Structure formats: structure tokens, C-alpha cells
């Protein structure tokens, strides 16, 4: 039997992005002793890369907005392949989750009368994204991180230990979900720095590991996005769905090569930026699908008027859902009308004064200035599609976020499938992870409490197997040259190889 450190918890959350932290907060507040495991440092999750805002029908910018319209937009954007109940719950609960963040200290941009400001985004009929400049994901993680710390400070006062009820395991990787029969019993993990193995025993495990973007060469995703959670769930016996639906964000950097794929936020287009080909034409007017024609402008003049008078004009086609814009850009490049480095031009410099661009898009201004030596207040950016999000994921119950077929396993955020159908609308990711992160934490805590006197047991054989699996890459040898057939493998010393072959 492998000798590994073991700890008992009620809920283990794998992943410390927005979904994972929101789940951990909810589980802790419901009385569950909660552990959070993250591959990188606490507060350094990929959620910080979400720049545009949090989609929620608060109707601060347009009184006609409602959760019903948000629900319709989400279903239409996903080609009606969404799990409708998830889309409904998301639209209904998103405003409360945003207001909740504000009570925890989030500092959103404000309207002139002091309400949370909301901006336009592709696929949303009304201005709906609550934002903090173009650094909304960073503010969301900062707020959740501070909430975690405040709960730990509260526990210190009551128990004398900051980590008695809520602990974050940083720079650790989970390789297996452990089971007792069909039920979850914990996770097997290792410390990335030392390689030390450990087991966290828990009747509830929430997977919130994000997406699979690093399987693509050109991607906006950070190094953590390697599909770990999808694999963990699949190996534990949970089904995946919609894995064929991978979103390519239409605007990623294309030059220089060292920064190809880095995200250019949709906020640029939401605030008035336009797409042009090498001939200077706003080509998106040629790519409006029939299903969207009634909602989108037929001329540049109407599209430009929409920013000032949205009640009497239709929106510009630059704000179509992401899949439509990405395909249009790809078509222009293939037709020979692309930019010098294989993209198209995104221009905001002729649309807004320089001081407004720097105020509303500070990260984009800095990003292009530092990485591409481009001043976006004076010249156009070169952009092209980049792998951004996977709509597929772990099949979950819409109300509880419980993975199908594996009692005690839950999933939230990008790793959970179904909410977005075949295409996610911009801004729906942050509200998704808040809504379903909370639901996952809530139901994981309730499930753990129901098993207080009959906790699933960790199988020592599974621990031994997981340890051997983790060590295998450091001990196995491949076949000798010329003996690639796995049945004929044998261990050879270097001298044997050199003497048996010229």
C-alpha cells in the first residue's frame, strides 16, 4: 500500500477560477469543510483573462432588458442546442450574482446616476455586460479571493486556525477522482514542486477546471487549460456532451508571432470598433445570416446611429455572435482580402477620441503598445480567430450541477457542458460560472451533509493504482529501435543496443 498523506474534508473543489471559488464560498457558508486545489497560484486563474464583462439583465442601460430576452439571446446564440433549463436559470439568477459581488467589494464602472454600467456585446440585444473597464475577470477573481480570505479570518477568530474550514492547496494537480462503488470518495493529487502524493477524502467533489484550449496551437487560453477536469470526470464514469463545439473568438492578435492568439476583447467592438478588410470595406454587412437579419443594420449609417439611438436603429453586424464573425473573418482571409499577416483590421481609432479609448479599453491600449508596438488610438489592429472556449463538457443536472451517473461529483464553469449550446455569447461565461458555481457548491455541501454518518471509504487499491500511474512516465522504457511492436518490448541497456546494431 502506498504511504501518502490523507486528509478528511466534506467538499473538495478542483480548480480555483471563478466557478471553483464561488463553489467553495457557497459550500463553506453552508457549513461544509471545504478544500480547494489549484494548479497555479491562488488568484492566478484563467478567469482573469475574461475582459469584457458579466452578462446580466439588470436593465441599467436599457429599461427594456429582462431575463426573458437574455434567455432568448442565449438560446439563439447557441443555435437552440442549449440545455434550456440551464439557460433559463442562468438568465434569471445572473443579476443577483452581480449584485452579490458588489456587496463583497467589487468595484464596477458606473452610470451617471450611480448604477452599475453595462456595455454592448455580440449577440445581446441590449447593453447587458457589467464591467470594470476591460479587466472584469481580474476584478471578479480579486473579489472572490478576498471573500475567501475574509471567511478564513472569521474561522481564525472562532477556531484559532485560518484553514480549519476552508483551505487552498496551491500548485497541486489532481490525477484521479477516487470512488467507493459508484460514489465519489475523494481525490488523488500531487504537489507540483515536490512531487509528493496526497489524498483528500471527501464525499463531494466539484470539478471547476476550465477548458481544453491548449490542445490548439493558436489559443487565447492559459497553460492550465489542458482538459484535466474533462478527463477526471470521464475516468470516474461521468459522460461528456457537446465536445465537438469549440468556439474560436473572432479577434485574437495575429502579429508578431510570439503573441499570436492573445485575446482582443469583444469590448472593442461593443464600444464602436469596426472590422475592415484589406480594401477598407466593412465586410460584416455581407455575412448577416437570415435568422439575424431583422435585428442587424443593413447599412453603415444605420449601424452607427444605433450606438446613440438603439430604440430606432438596428445594431451593426460586428456585434453578431462570435461564431458568425469568426467565419466571416476566415472567409475574407481565404478570399485574399486579409491583412498583411493573415487577419483583418479592427479599427477603433476613427470611432472614439484617444482619451476615451484609454479610459474604456486600458488593457487593450497597453497590450498592443507593449506587445505589437501599435497605438490603437491612432491605427487599426490586426486580428484573427483564436481558440477561446469549449461549449462541451461534463453532462450535469441543470438545477444541481451534479454530474450524471456519479453520485457526489459536480461540475461548474467551462468544464460543464450544455448551458451554451453550440456557441457561447460573450459575457455569458462569467455569469455562468457565478450562477452554477454557487449551485454546485450548495448542492455539494448538502450531499456531503446527508452522508455525515456513512462517508464513502477510500479504496487503498485505487490509491496504489493512482500512484503507480503518476510514476509510470518516469520508469517505463519504449521499444528498442526496430522493435516498435509493443508485444516485443524488452529492457535493454545502452551498451546492448550499441553492440547489437551498427
Amino acid at each position: 500500500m502506498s504511504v501518502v498523506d490523507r486528509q478528511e474534508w466534506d467538499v473538495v473543489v478542483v480548480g480555483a477560477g471563478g466557478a471553483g471559488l464561488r463553489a467553495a464560498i457557497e459550500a463553506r457558508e453552508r457549513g461544509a469543510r471545504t478544500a480547494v486545489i489549484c494548479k497555479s497560484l491562488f488568484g492566478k486563474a484563467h478567469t482573469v483573462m475574461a475582459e469584457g464583462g458579466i452578462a446580466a439583465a439588470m436593465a441599467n442601460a436599457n429599461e427594456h432588458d429582462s431575463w426573458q430576452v437574455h434567455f432568448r439571446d442565449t438560446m439563439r446564440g447557441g443555435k437552440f442546442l442549449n440545455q434550456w433549463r440551464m439557460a433559463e436559470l442562468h438568465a434569471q439568477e445572473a443579476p443577483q450574482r452581480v449584485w452579490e459581488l458588489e456587496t463583497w467589494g467589487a468595484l464596477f464602472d458606473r452610470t451617471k446616476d450611480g448604477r452599475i454600467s453595462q456595455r454592448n456585446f455580440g449577440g445581446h440585444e441590449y447593453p447587458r455586460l457589467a464591467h470594470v473597464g476591460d479587466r472584469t475577470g481580474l476584478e471578479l477573481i480579486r473579489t472572490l479571493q478576498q471573500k475567501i480570505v475574509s471567511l478564513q479570518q472569521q474561522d481564525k477568530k472562532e477556531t484559532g486556525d485560518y484553514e480549519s474550514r476552508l483551505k487552498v492547496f496551491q500548485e497541486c494537480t489532481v490525477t484521479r477522482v477516487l470512488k467507493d462503488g459508484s460514489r465519489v470518495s475523494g481525490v488523488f493529487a500531487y504537489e507540483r514542486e515536490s512531487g509528493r502524493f496526497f489524498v483528500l477524502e471527501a464525499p463531494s467533489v466539484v470539478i471547476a477546471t476550465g477548458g481544453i484550449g491548449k490542445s490548439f496551437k493558436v489559443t487565447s487560453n492559459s497553460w492550465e487549460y489542458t482538459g484535466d477536469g474533462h478527463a477526471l470526470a470521464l475516468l470516474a464514469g461521468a459522460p461528456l456532451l457537446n465536445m465537438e463545439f469549440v468556439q474560436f473568438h473572432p479577434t485574437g492578435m495575429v502579429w508578431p508571432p510570439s503573441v499570436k492568439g492573445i485575446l482582443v476583447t469583444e469590448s472593442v467592438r461593443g464600444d464602436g470598433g469596426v472590422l475592415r478588410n484589406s480594401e477598407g470595406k466593412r465586410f460584416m454587412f455581407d455575412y448577416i445570416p437570415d435568422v439575424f437579419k431583422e435585428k442587424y443594420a443593413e447599412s453603415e449609417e444605420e449601424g452607427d446611429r444605433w450606438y446613440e439611438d438603439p430604440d430606432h436603429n438596428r445594431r451593426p453586424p460586428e456585434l453578431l455572435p462570435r461564431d458568425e464573425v469568426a467565419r466571416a473573418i476566415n472567409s475574407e482571409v481565404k478570399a485574399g482580402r486579409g491583412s498583411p499577416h493573415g487577419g483583418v483590421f479592427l479599427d477603433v481609432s476613427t470611432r472614439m477620441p484617444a482619451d476615451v479609448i484609454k479610459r474604456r479599453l486600458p488593457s487593450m491600449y497597453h497590450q498592443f503598445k507593449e506587445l505589437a508596438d501599435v497605438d490603437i488610438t491612432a491605427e487599426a489592429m490586426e486580428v484573427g480567430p483564436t481558440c477561446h472556449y469549449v461549449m462541451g463538457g461534463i453532462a450535469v443536472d441543470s438545477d444541481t450541477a451534479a454530474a450524471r451517473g456519479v453520485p457526489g461529483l459536480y461540475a461548474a464553469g467551462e468544464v460543464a457542458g450544455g448551458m451554451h449550446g453550440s456557441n457561447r455569447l460573450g459575457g455569458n461565461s462569467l455569469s455562468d460560472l457565478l450562477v452554477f458555481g454557487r449551485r454546485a457548491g450548495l448542492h455539494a455541501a448538502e450531499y456531503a451533509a446527508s452522508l455525515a454518518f456513512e462517508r464513502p471509504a477510500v479504496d487503498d487499491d485505487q490509491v496504489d493504482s493512482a500512484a503507480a500511474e503518476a510514476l509510470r512516465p518516469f520508469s517505463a522504457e519504449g521499444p528498442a529501435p526496430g522493435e516498435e511492436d509493443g508485444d516485443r518490448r524488452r529492457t535493454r541497456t545502452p551498451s546492448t543496443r550499441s553492440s547489437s546494431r551498427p
Side-chain angles (χ1 to χ4, degrees):
M1 183 179 75
S2 299
V3 179
V4 298
D5 178 41
R6 298 194 185 194
Q7 298 183 25
E8 285 192 2
W9 296 86
D10 297 324
V11 175
V12 172
V13 180
V14 185
L21 294 186
R22 186 61 188 84
I25 290 168
E26 192 67 22
R28 158 61 184 77
E29 291 190 323
R30 298 284 172 168
R33 294 186 65 249
T34 305
V36 181
I37 304 179
C38 55
K39 283 168 71 172
S40 57
L41 296 171
F42 181 42
K44 199 174 178 293
H46 182 66
T47 306
V48 303
M49 298 299 292
E51 298 163 327
I54 308 171
M58 297 184 289
N60 290 348
N62 191 308
E63 62 183 10
H64 300 300
D65 200 8
S66 66
W67 76 260
Q68 290 93 338
V69 179
H70 189 186
F71 170 61
R72 183 207 64 193
D73 291 346
T74 299
M75 294 295 293
R76 180 180 288 176
K79 304 297 186 287
F80 298 96
L81 295 171
N82 322 57
Q83 299 285 344
W84 69 266
R85 176 60 175 162
M86 293 183 77
E88 180 183 48
L89 289 170
H90 165 259
Q92 290 174 337
E93 297 180 9
Q96 184 58 43
R97 300 284 74 80
V98 174
W99 290 321
E100 181 178 65
L101 282 181
E102 189 173 38
T103 66
W104 292 348
L107 300 174
F108 291 101
D109 290 352
R110 320 302 294 191
T111 61
K112 291 181 180 180
D113 59 0
R115 292 180 293 175
I116 295 175
S117 178
Q118 297 184 270
R119 62 162 42 118
N120 291 299
F121 240 56
H124 294 280
E125 180 165 353
Y126 299 112
R128 190 174 287 147
L129 272 70
H131 58 92
V132 184
D134 56 359
R135 297 169 177 163
T136 311
L138 179 62
E139 181 69 4
L140 185 149
I141 285 292
R142 182 198 67 80
T143 302
L144 296 179
Q145 185 179 16
Q146 286 302 111
K147 180 63 175 178
I148 293 278
V149 171
S150 72
L151 290 172
Q152 291 178 322
Q153 291 172 333
Q154 179 181 324
D155 292 341
K156 167 70 172 177
K157 289 181 181 180
E158 296 177 5
T159 69
D161 183 0
Y162 286 109
E163 298 178 332
S164 60
R165 297 171 181 162
L166 181 55
K167 182 174 181 178
V168 179
F169 293 81
Q170 302 184 73
E171 295 187 297
C172 298
T173 295
V174 173
T175 63
R176 281 282 178 169
V177 173
L178 305 175
K179 296 172 67 179
D180 179 6
S182 65
R183 302 183 302 173
V184 164
S185 61
V187 298
F188 180 90
Y190 67 89
E191 294 179 349
R192 297 179 66 84
E193 182 179 8
S194 67
R196 182 182 68 88
F197 297 146
F198 63 96
V199 169
L200 300 184
E201 301 180 9
S204 293
V205 171
V206 179
I207 297 181
T209 53
I212 52 91
K214 271 300 178 181
S215 57
F216 286 81
K217 181 179 180 180
V218 179
T219 179
S220 64
N221 291 180
S222 61
W223 67 272
E224 300 100 331
Y225 269 36
T226 50
D228 296 21
H230 298 78
L232 288 172
L234 199 60
L235 291 169
L240 306 182
L241 81 166
N242 293 348
M243 291 303 295
E244 70 273 27
F245 296 142
V246 178
Q247 180 181 86
F248 286 78
H249 195 290
T251 56
M253 296 182 73
V254 298
W255 191 260
S258 60
V259 300
K260 189 171 184 177
I262 292 180
L263 186 66
V264 179
T265 176
E266 199 165 335
S267 305
V268 177
R269 285 174 286 132
D271 286 350
V274 296
L275 293 166
R276 301 185 188 277
N277 59 24
S278 59
E279 300 170 356
K281 179 182 179 181
R282 284 180 63 179
F283 58 86
M284 282 306 304
F285 288 92
D286 298 333
Y287 293 94
I288 304 174
D290 290 341
V291 69
F292 292 110
K293 280 190 181 296
E294 65 174 293
K295 296 291 184 180
Y296 286 82
E298 295 180 356
S299 67
E300 293 186 24
E301 293 74 21
E302 182 184 8
D304 290 344
R305 290 196 303 267
W306 176 82
Y307 288 98
E308 300 298 329
D309 185 13
D311 292 334
H312 299 96
N313 295 279
R314 292 173 294 180
R315 59 180 42 226
E318 279 87 358
L319 293 179
L320 278 162
R322 289 171 174 174
D323 57 336
E324 307 292 352
V325 181
R327 280 194 290 269
I329 291 174
N330 196 43
S331 296
E332 288 295 303
V333 173
K334 286 185 173 181
R337 297 187 291 270
S339 63
H341 299 108
V344 295
F345 296 104
L346 174 59
D347 180 30
V348 74
S349 64
T350 60
R351 312 285 293 177
M352 291 191 292
D355 61 318
V356 176
I357 295 173
K358 292 178 181 179
R359 185 179 74 250
R360 293 184 64 88
L361 302 167
S363 294
M364 288 299 99
Y365 175 78
H366 176 79
Q367 177 175 308
F368 273 89
K369 193 69 175 173
E370 294 298 318
L371 301 180
D373 195 27
V374 170
D375 181 355
I376 68 171
T377 68
E379 54 188 314
M381 303 161 257
E382 281 191 74
V383 298
T386 179
C387 178
H388 186 58
Y389 194 91
V390 59
M391 280 66 66
I394 303 168
V396 297
D397 177 79
S398 298
D399 289 84
T400 66
R404 297 178 189 169
V406 185
L409 189 64
Y410 298 81
E414 187 172 354
V415 75
M419 217 298 283
H420 304 287
S422 64
N423 176 61
R424 176 178 67 80
L425 296 186
N428 272 358
S429 177
L430 293 186
S431 44
D432 167 20
L433 61 82
L434 290 172
V435 169
F436 292 103
R438 173 188 169 275
R439 282 182 167 266
L442 165 64
H443 292 283
E446 289 181 347
Y447 177 80
S450 72
L451 297 177
F453 302 106
E454 50 174 339
R455 292 170 64 98
V458 170
D459 184 343
D460 290 337
D461 290 339
Q462 290 186 30
V463 175
D464 291 343
S465 176
E469 180 182 56
L471 291 171
R472 193 170 298 129
F474 302 101
S475 59
E477 285 195 22
E483 295 186 359
E484 277 70 26
D485 186 345
D487 293 332
R488 298 171 59 193
R489 290 186 190 177
R490 61 172 64 92
T491 302
R492 295 171 178 261
T493 62
S495 59
T496 303
R497 292 192 184 97
S498 62
S499 63
S500 62
R501 284 173 174 76

